[in-house]
């Protein structure tokens, strides 16, 4: 917040404050540092980007959040924004006034990692050799068409990717989007996250279920427990593979 940086990391509220995500967020910072990335964060100046509150109808609160974030961003010098949260990514990229973001790119961390690997700035010391499947986050995949960068990152770590029957633009929602992560589920026979885990568990030899969204990590780690697949399938964030391969 005091110095010009190349990348402003918009951490997001979920990745910042959910205790189950602390280690993944720290690993993200460690990977950025190992890649020699010139990055900074907004500290207490960052507010929720506003995606969820807008989806549940709180337009006034959304506008207030945009105003507060815009005021903070206007005092910072940076060339691009990166975030691990597809919900923040979508809102910052498409719903904030052009004057706030300007011509600066908004990147999901999978896109940035892909660029760093391709340019040679991020090089791995070992090949992991896991057989994994990958879940396309709604706001990264269907909303923004970002399908290939996370798959290239997975391949670069030395993992073998096995696709689920529903993938890319046919991927199933985890059930958390649109503000639903804050809502009571009521009486349901099977949650979307549980259906998705069962789909992955039917893949022969798949050892890990890889996600690229903080809310996905929470939803699916709960779902492997409730479906009885906790010892069969590990739910891992993309950055965990990258961190391990480094």
């Amino acid at each position: 917040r005091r110095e010009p940086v190349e990348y402003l990391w918009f951490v997001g509220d979920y990745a910042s404050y959910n205790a189950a995500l602390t280690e993944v967020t720290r690993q993200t910072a460690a990977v950025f540092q190992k890649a020699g990335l010139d990055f900074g964060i907004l500290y207490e100046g960052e507010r929720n980007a506003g995606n969820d509150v807008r989806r549940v109808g709180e337009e006034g609160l959304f506008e207030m959040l945009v105003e507060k974030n815009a005021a903070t961003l206007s005092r910072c010098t940076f060339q691009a924004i990166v975030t691990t949260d597809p919900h923040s990514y979508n809102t910052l990229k498409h719903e904030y006034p052009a004057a706030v973001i300007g011509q600066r790119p908004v990147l999901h961390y999978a896109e940035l990692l892909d660029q760093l690997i391709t340019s040679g700035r991020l090089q791995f010391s070992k090949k992991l050799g896991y057989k994994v499947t990958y879940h396309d986050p709604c706001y990264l995949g269907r909303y923004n068409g970002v399908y290939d960068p996370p798959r290239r990152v997975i391949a670069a770590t030395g993992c073998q990717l096995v696709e689920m029957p529903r993938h890319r633009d046919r991927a199933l929602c985890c059930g958390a989007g649109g503000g639903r992560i804050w809502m009571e589920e009521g009486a349901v026979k099977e949650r979307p996250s549980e259906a998705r885990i069962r789909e992955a568990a039917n893949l022969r030899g798949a050892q890990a279920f890889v996600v690229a969204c903080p809310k996905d990590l929470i939803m699916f780690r709960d779902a492997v427990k409730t479906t009885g697949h906790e010892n069969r399938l590990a739910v891992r964030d993309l950055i965990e593979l990258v961190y391990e391969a480094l």
Side-chain angles (χ1 to χ4, degrees):
R1 59 187 168 181
R2 294 191 182 93
E3 309 171 354
V5 294
E6 185 177 1
Y7 293 96
L8 188 153
W9 178 15
F10 197 97
V11 184
D13 61 314
Y14 223 67
S16 296
Y17 293 111
N18 190 300
L21 297 170
T22 301
E23 188 58 31
V24 169
T25 303
R26 285 177 175 160
Q27 287 184 9
T28 303
V31 169
F32 287 172
Q33 289 166 344
K34 287 183 179 182
L37 208 66
D38 178 24
F39 74 98
I41 62 174
L42 298 175
Y43 294 84
E44 74 280 359
E46 181 185 305
R47 296 291 182 268
N48 184 298
N51 178 84
D52 284 350
V53 297
R54 193 175 210 190
R55 297 302 178 274
V56 299
E58 286 280 2
E59 190 67 25
L61 178 55
F62 172 74
E63 292 175 1
M64 184 183 77
L65 291 168
V66 171
E67 185 177 328
K68 287 182 178 293
N69 281 323
T72 302
L73 291 170
S74 68
R75 297 192 295 270
C76 300
T77 303
F78 58 96
Q79 298 175 31
I81 293 177
V82 61
T83 181
T84 61
D85 181 12
H87 304 82
S88 297
Y89 169 81
N90 182 74
T91 295
L92 291 168
K93 190 169 185 175
H94 300 297
E95 299 181 346
Y96 271 48
V100 177
I101 305 300
Q103 300 300 311
R104 295 171 292 203
V106 177
L107 300 171
H108 183 261
Y109 76 125
E111 295 177 294
L112 178 57
L113 291 171
D114 184 38
Q115 292 176 11
L116 293 172
I117 293 167
T118 302
S119 67
R121 290 179 64 181
L122 193 61
Q123 297 184 11
F124 299 123
S125 61
K126 60 180 177 180
K127 297 291 185 180
L128 300 183
Y130 303 134
K131 183 179 281 190
V132 307
T133 192
Y134 170 69
H135 171 77
D136 290 283
C138 297
Y139 280 96
L140 187 63
R142 288 195 303 276
Y143 277 76
N144 287 283
V146 179
Y147 297 113
D148 293 327
R151 287 171 168 81
R152 285 195 292 263
V153 173
I154 289 171
T157 65
C159 291
Q160 178 188 351
L161 178 65
V162 182
E163 297 283 10
M164 285 178 277
R166 291 176 289 189
H167 63 282
R168 292 184 177 260
D169 61 348
R170 296 181 63 245
L172 185 67
C173 175
C174 77
R180 291 202 60 84
I181 198 165
W182 309 112
M183 299 179 187
E184 293 293 334
E185 291 178 321
V188 293
K189 291 183 179 179
E190 185 177 60
R191 294 179 294 164
S193 56
E194 292 172 334
R196 192 66 163 151
I197 287 295
R198 294 188 200 280
E199 186 176 351
N202 285 330
L203 297 173
R204 182 175 295 177
Q207 300 165 279
F209 184 100
V210 181
V211 299
C213 170
K215 289 176 181 173
D216 282 346
L217 197 63
I218 296 300
M219 297 297 284
F220 290 120
R221 281 186 174 171
D222 184 58
V224 292
K225 296 175 184 177
T226 57
T227 58
H229 291 100
E230 190 173 10
N231 296 323
R232 156 80 176 78
L233 199 63
V235 178
R236 305 193 67 184
D237 191 278
L238 181 65
I239 204 71
E240 293 182 283
L241 297 183
V242 171
Y243 183 83
E244 184 178 347
L246 285 171

